[in-house]
Amino acid sequence: NEGTLLYIGLVPGFRSKGFAQEIHNKGLQFLKEKGIETYYGSTMKENKVMLRIFEKNRCEIEREQLFYKIAKDAL
């Protein structure tokens, strides 16, 4: 009963017009209609636009996740 919306993006000409929030909201509605009870979304801390979209669409922070990469000199 969990769902997510991955890799949604807008080409530059359609940014800053409210479309991203609307698309995200429609995606959330779609998941709800399909019986999804828990939504998980993610973005980087630096992506202030997406963070605002999550807030406007009433999403709450559940947890933070760390990402690792191997050091260049480790291979």
Side-chain angles (χ1 to χ4, degrees):
N1 291 337
E2 297 177 355
T4 191
L5 304 168
L6 297 174
Y7 304 110
I8 297 172
L10 296 173
V11 295
F14 288 91
R15 294 178 184 161
S16 299
K17 299 178 191 287
F19 293 132
Q21 181 186 349
E22 186 175 343
I23 290 169
H24 183 254
N25 189 277
K26 295 288 184 189
L28 295 173
Q29 289 176 23
F30 173 81
L31 293 175
K32 185 175 181 179
E33 290 169 6
K34 296 298 177 187
I36 300 301
E37 296 174 3
T38 305
Y39 163 74
Y40 288 105
S42 65
T43 193
M44 303 299 285
K45 283 184 170 184
E46 298 80 19
N47 190 344
K48 304 296 184 193
V49 172
M50 193 63 215
L51 293 173
R52 282 193 305 274
I53 290 169
F54 283 135
E55 288 177 12
K56 288 179 180 181
N57 286 335
R58 301 181 61 205
C59 297
E60 301 171 341
I61 294 175
E62 175 160 310
R63 65 179 171 266
E64 292 185 26
Q65 184 174 357
L66 301 174
F67 291 88
Y68 290 86
K69 67 178 183 177
I70 192 162
K72 289 181 182 179
D73 60 351
L75 296 176

